[in-house]
Amino acid sequence: MPGSNVREAYDSCGIVCRDVKFKSKPMRAVVQRVSRAKVTVDGWTTGEIGMGLLVLLGVGHEDTEADVNYLAEKIAGLRIFEDEDGKMNRSVVDTGGSVLAVSQFTLYGDVRRGKRPSFDAAAPPEQARRLYELFVRHIQASGLRCETGRFQAMMQVELANEGPVTILLDSRKEF
């Protein structure tokens, strides 16, 4: 079952063993509250926002549309903007802000062995592009303006982090 931590495995004799736990990686997002953010590729601006959220989105091998739905809804409703009393009680939707979504497979960089990151847990480009574009459509469907970077391009990301406020999210609530 896609996205499940329980799968079938085979012992050395080829007998099916059930309920073997495999560590799957959730879809990951780094969410930053910004007063402005911009992405450029080869000197051209591909996406730019004023007040809102910069979302760096990492897609893993086992991620599904359910992971996209969860993160898009969570991010659109994330109450990290201050209300009139100075409390973080307002979402980007409440404030009329925008989202700049940038695909970033390097969120799956694993350096537990050595010093050069392994990106084996990142989804292949076709799957990552499909889920990233679905994420953008979900954000737009929530009524937000959503700008983007360019998938698989070398990008320069500029931002002014307000607060600073940076939130780490994942679709399986591991952190």
Side-chain angles (χ1 to χ4, degrees):
M1 171 187 288
S4 173
N5 284 335
V6 179
R7 296 203 194 154
E8 292 181 349
Y10 296 87
D11 69 8
S12 60
C13 298
I15 298 171
V16 176
C17 302
R18 298 196 189 276
D19 298 328
V20 176
K21 296 284 185 180
F22 288 90
K23 185 78 172 162
S24 65
K25 301 289 186 190
M27 185 174 285
R28 296 176 176 172
V30 175
V31 180
Q32 295 180 298
R33 184 178 75 180
V34 298
S35 57
R36 62 177 174 75
K38 176 168 87 167
V39 176
T40 58
V41 176
D42 296 328
W44 295 94
T45 300
T46 63
E48 185 170 12
I49 64 169
M51 187 271 306
L53 299 174
L54 170 63
V55 178
L56 306 175
L57 187 72
V59 179
H61 281 287
E62 296 185 9
D63 290 337
T64 66
E65 290 184 17
D67 296 294
V68 171
N69 295 340
Y70 172 80
L71 278 184
E73 182 179 329
K74 177 67 89 173
I75 289 168
L78 200 58
R79 296 177 357 186
I80 59 173
F81 291 89
E82 294 178 358
D83 63 14
E84 55 281 346
D85 296 324
K87 303 277 187 215
M88 285 190 191
N89 268 333
R90 301 180 73 208
S91 71
V92 67
V93 172
D94 298 333
T95 63
S98 302
V99 173
L100 176 57
V102 178
S103 177
Q104 188 167 359
F105 77 95
T106 60
L107 292 179
Y108 281 95
D110 184 349
V111 292
R112 289 177 291 177
R113 294 183 181 193
K115 295 182 180 173
R116 190 172 109 193
S118 165
F119 301 106
D120 291 343
E126 313 77 46
Q127 175 190 4
R129 179 188 300 269
R130 183 178 64 79
L131 293 176
Y132 166 71
E133 290 173 352
L134 181 61
F135 174 82
V136 170
R137 287 193 303 273
H138 277 286
I139 291 293
Q140 291 168 335
S142 69
L144 291 165
R145 181 174 139 250
C146 186
E147 297 282 317
T148 64
R150 184 176 302 151
F151 192 85
Q152 282 191 302
M154 179 62 74
M155 296 176 272
Q156 291 73 47
V157 180
E158 299 175 34
L159 67 132
N161 190 326
E162 282 294 310
V165 175
T166 302
I167 305 291
L168 302 176
L169 295 174
D170 72 75
S171 59
R172 307 227 175 91
K173 306 171 199 159
E174 292 181 3
F175 56 80

